[in-house]
Amino acid sequence: MNLKQIAQNTYLEFSNYEGSQHIASEFSIFKTLEIIKKNNVKNILEVGLGIGTIPSAVSTCFGNNINYTGTEANPFCLESLKRNLSFKNIKVYSSLNQIDLSQKQELVIVDGKDVELGKVSKLISEHGIIMIEGDRKNQQNKIYSMFPKALFVHLISSKKNHPKGVFDNNSWQGGIKVFFINPTLKQKLYWFKEKMNTKRVYLNRKYL
């Protein structure tokens, strides 16, 4: 399966689970998988695992070649993760305070709240990437303050939600915000391409 198919299958699967009203969008899942593949990411940290949508897609796409670390403190979500995931290389902690600082993360996905979000600056690798799923304006401002020189792009979709999914199929698929904290040339080129694509999609939406 290609990345788009894995993203759609995962979105539709998790749309049927209890707690699905807070899952990542189909577009967000796809772009996460794309960035992992293009940057050969091996170590991922997710702040707020929820019911396991993104790690499930990552496991399907890349098997156990990924070292996945996540935080989650909500009892319902912790029980859901046990049911929903068969991912062997995942470690779950209740907060960022518990994570070993020596293991640098190449990709950090912010998909929930953690009062210790500032710890990300010590956990992320030199050319690491941070993705914010959903609006999360407070977390976005926090990351800006930690990495003021980072390149930022808000990726948005040109497609509406799948009619069989949990979200309204008359609404656009949710976007995802991406920070390249110390971008390589390859990351700069990807950022520029996506910046232009976001502008094009935004303009097209205005006339639809």
Side-chain angles (χ1 to χ4, degrees):
M1 285 188 291
N2 61 35
L3 303 188
K4 288 186 177 180
Q5 191 61 59
I6 291 171
Q8 183 178 100
N9 289 354
T10 304
Y11 168 69
L12 293 178
E13 175 190 349
F14 277 76
S15 288
N16 294 313
Y17 294 162
E18 188 178 358
S20 62
Q21 66 269 26
H22 301 300
I23 66 173
S25 71
E26 181 181 339
F27 178 75
S28 294
I29 298 168
F30 165 63
K31 281 300 182 181
T32 301
L33 298 178
E34 181 181 76
I35 282 178
I36 293 169
K37 184 175 182 179
K38 285 184 177 293
N39 291 273
N40 194 29
V41 169
K42 299 299 181 185
N43 297 298
I44 299 173
L45 167 64
E46 183 176 357
V47 182
L49 288 164
I51 63 172
T53 313
I54 295 177
S56 178
V58 169
S59 176
T60 300
C61 192
F62 304 104
N64 290 306
N65 294 319
I66 301 288
N67 298 309
Y68 209 106
T69 303
T71 64
E72 188 53 66
N74 182 281
F76 169 78
C77 291
L78 290 171
E79 286 302 313
S80 297
L81 288 169
K82 292 176 184 178
R83 293 193 303 270
N84 299 341
L85 290 183
S86 58
F87 200 172
K88 294 180 180 179
N89 285 5
I90 186 167
K91 296 178 181 178
V92 182
Y93 299 92
S94 61
S95 76
L96 289 169
N97 269 335
Q98 299 177 331
I99 299 175
D100 182 5
L101 296 176
S102 66
Q103 179 62 69
K104 299 304 180 184
Q105 308 294 330
E106 297 154 284
L107 174 63
V108 176
I109 303 165
V110 179
D111 201 9
K113 296 180 180 179
D114 193 310
V115 294
E116 299 296 333
L117 188 60
K119 288 282 194 307
V120 166
S121 64
K122 297 179 180 179
L123 288 164
I124 198 164
S125 64
E126 181 183 2
H127 299 291
I129 302 164
I130 300 174
M131 305 181 76
I132 301 179
E133 211 289 312
D135 185 42
R136 306 192 184 284
K137 192 67 176 180
N138 289 339
Q139 286 96 327
Q140 181 179 336
N141 291 339
K142 179 69 174 180
I143 292 166
Y144 264 131
S145 69
M146 290 191 290
F147 305 104
K149 296 182 180 179
L151 292 180
F152 167 78
V153 59
H154 185 187
L155 310 181
I156 60 174
S157 176
S158 60
K159 295 183 178 179
K160 295 191 176 181
N161 294 308
H162 195 288
K164 294 183 179 179
V166 67
F167 300 132
D168 182 2
N169 65 328
N170 291 311
S171 298
W172 302 105
Q173 292 182 21
I176 194 161
K177 299 172 182 179
V178 184
F179 293 82
F180 297 97
I181 66 166
N182 183 29
T184 62
L185 177 58
K186 182 178 179 181
Q187 289 173 347
K188 287 179 181 178
L189 291 172
Y190 180 87
W191 167 83
F192 180 78
K193 183 193 76 172
E194 291 297 337
K195 197 83 171 176
M196 294 300 101
N197 189 58
T198 293
K199 184 176 181 180
R200 177 185 60 80
V201 173
Y202 178 74
L203 290 173
N204 286 344
R205 280 188 183 186
K206 288 179 69 175
Y207 297 105
L208 289 177

